[in-house]
């Protein structure tokens, strides 16, 4: 099958192409540091391609956007945090691979939405109290690492979880973005073989589609970095809280 025939086999309308283009543009914005909006693109792609198939279509584009992010924000990454979280993220990914075919996506998303909204509510409460206390217990990092790995494998839904972790740890804007960029770059590379050989959601056909969409990712990333530069640390923190809460509400009522 030729390249053009592969693209035509998706039977996408002009409206579908516009929606997908908007979704991957949002992906670029998200990876540039405008966190909390990723749930929008996941909803769009799931609507066009279906829940599970969309995860395989999205993954290679996530990796491309991750590469842009780690190059741009590399000097801001906190490797002590990355080394602390990654082993547990890997375990979470493996758990996700193991039960990914059996868990109800409906129940999973409702549970995730509740966890996110409760966590964001607690963070708003702590913000109002001006609390400076940081969670230092090892179980907090283990739990967040496991949940991040599990949710990123099941539905590429780990963004809100990682947002909560980094906001709780009170990371400055650039350290937040740089550390998250490396964590998800590594996690998404680990996920790729499972999507290819076990779930079979990444194929030659999906990669052909990805190749058409990459320019929209790049455009979104370039625009996003210029926007992030203009946001103060305080306003950035407030934006992430609101965007993450909005994402949780979308998941709850989707």
């Amino acid at each position: 099958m030729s390249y053009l025939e592969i693209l035509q086999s998706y039977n996408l309308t002009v409206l579908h192409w516009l929606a997908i283009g908007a979704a991957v543009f949002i992906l670029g914005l998200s990876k540039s540091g405008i966190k909390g909006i990723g749930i929008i693109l996941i909803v769009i792609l799931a609507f066009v391609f279906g829940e599970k198939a969309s995860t395989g279509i999205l993954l290679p584009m996530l990796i491309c956007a991750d590469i842009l992010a780690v190059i741009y924000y590399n000097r801001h990454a906190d490797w002590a945090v990355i080394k602390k979280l990654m082993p547990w993220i890997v375990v979470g990914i493996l758990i996700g691979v193991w039960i990914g075919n059996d868990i109800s996506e409906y129940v999973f998303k409702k549970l995730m939405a509740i966890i996110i909204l409760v966590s964001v509510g607690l963070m708003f409460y702590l913000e109002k109290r001006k609390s400076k206390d940081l969670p230092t217990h090892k179980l907090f990092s283990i739990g967040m690492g496991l949940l991040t790995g599990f949710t990123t494998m099941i539905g590429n839904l780990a963004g809100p979880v990682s947002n909560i972790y980094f906001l709780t740890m009170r990371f400055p804007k650039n350290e937040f973005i740089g550390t998250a960029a490396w964590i998800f770059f590594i996690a998404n590379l680990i996920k790729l073989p499972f999507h290819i050989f076990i779930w079979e959601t990444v194929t030659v056909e999906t990669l052909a589609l990805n190749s058409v969409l990459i320019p929209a990712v790049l455009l979104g990333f370039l625009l996003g970095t210029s926007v992030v530069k203009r946001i103060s640390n305080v306003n950035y923190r407030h934006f992430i809280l609101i965007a993450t809460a909005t994402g949780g509400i979308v998941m709850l009522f989707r």
Side-chain angles (χ1 to χ4, degrees):
M1 188 180 294
S2 69
Y3 181 75
L4 185 58
E5 287 173 334
I6 291 173
L7 296 179
Q8 290 174 338
S9 70
Y10 282 98
N11 297 315
L12 299 173
T13 65
V14 173
L15 184 59
H16 284 147
W17 279 111
L18 290 174
I20 298 164
V24 296
F25 177 79
I26 292 170
L27 169 60
L29 290 175
S30 177
K31 290 295 184 176
S32 73
I34 305 179
K35 303 291 185 180
I37 61 175
I39 186 65
I40 299 172
L41 72 98
I42 291 171
V43 170
I44 293 173
L45 293 180
F47 177 78
V48 175
F49 298 106
E51 298 283 358
K52 190 169 183 179
S54 67
T55 62
I57 290 171
L58 179 57
L59 183 57
M61 292 187 292
L62 284 173
I63 293 173
C64 290
D66 288 331
I67 292 171
L68 295 174
V70 298
I71 291 172
Y72 192 85
Y73 290 105
N74 180 56
R75 67 186 182 278
H76 300 293
D78 187 328
W79 281 96
V81 172
I82 295 170
K83 291 175 182 177
K84 179 166 60 175
L85 289 178
M86 278 313 304
W88 301 108
I89 290 174
V90 172
V91 174
I93 289 172
L94 294 176
I95 294 172
V97 173
W98 179 38
I99 66 174
N101 287 324
D102 300 321
I103 190 172
S104 163
E105 291 185 356
Y106 176 84
V107 172
F108 166 73
K109 287 174 182 173
K110 298 306 179 194
L111 180 60
M112 274 296 302
I114 293 169
I115 291 172
I116 290 166
L117 291 174
V118 170
S119 300
V120 170
L122 178 60
M123 290 180 63
F124 270 118
Y125 172 73
L126 295 175
E127 288 281 308
K128 190 174 181 180
R129 289 187 58 197
K130 306 296 183 184
S131 173
K132 300 297 182 181
D133 295 334
L134 298 179
T136 56
H137 200 287
K138 187 177 180 180
L139 285 178
F140 177 70
S141 294
I142 292 173
M144 294 303 288
L146 288 171
L147 193 56
T148 297
F150 179 71
T151 53
T152 193
M153 188 67 217
I154 293 295
N156 295 315
L157 288 169
V161 178
S162 66
N163 291 348
I164 291 166
Y165 177 80
F166 290 123
L167 288 172
T168 304
M169 298 302 292
R170 298 192 176 276
F171 269 42
K173 176 180 66 179
N174 286 338
E175 283 72 10
F176 182 130
I177 302 169
T179 305
W182 270 106
I183 284 174
F184 284 109
F185 177 52
I186 297 169
N188 286 328
L189 286 178
I190 293 170
K191 287 158 53 181
L192 186 58
F194 297 113
H195 274 277
I196 295 172
F197 300 111
I198 297 179
W199 287 3
E200 298 180 346
T201 50
V202 175
T203 64
V204 172
E205 289 74 20
T206 63
L207 292 174
L209 180 62
N210 293 152
S211 68
V212 177
L213 299 171
I214 293 302
V217 178
L218 178 60
L219 182 61
F221 185 86
L222 293 175
L223 178 62
T225 53
S226 66
V227 172
V228 170
K229 287 178 182 178
R230 292 169 171 77
I231 305 175
S232 69
N233 275 318
V234 172
N235 288 334
Y236 184 77
R237 184 176 178 84
H238 292 160
F239 170 79
I240 300 302
L241 276 170
I242 293 169
T244 302
T246 303
I249 292 170
V250 171
M251 288 175 62
L252 186 62
F253 293 103
R254 180 181 158 194

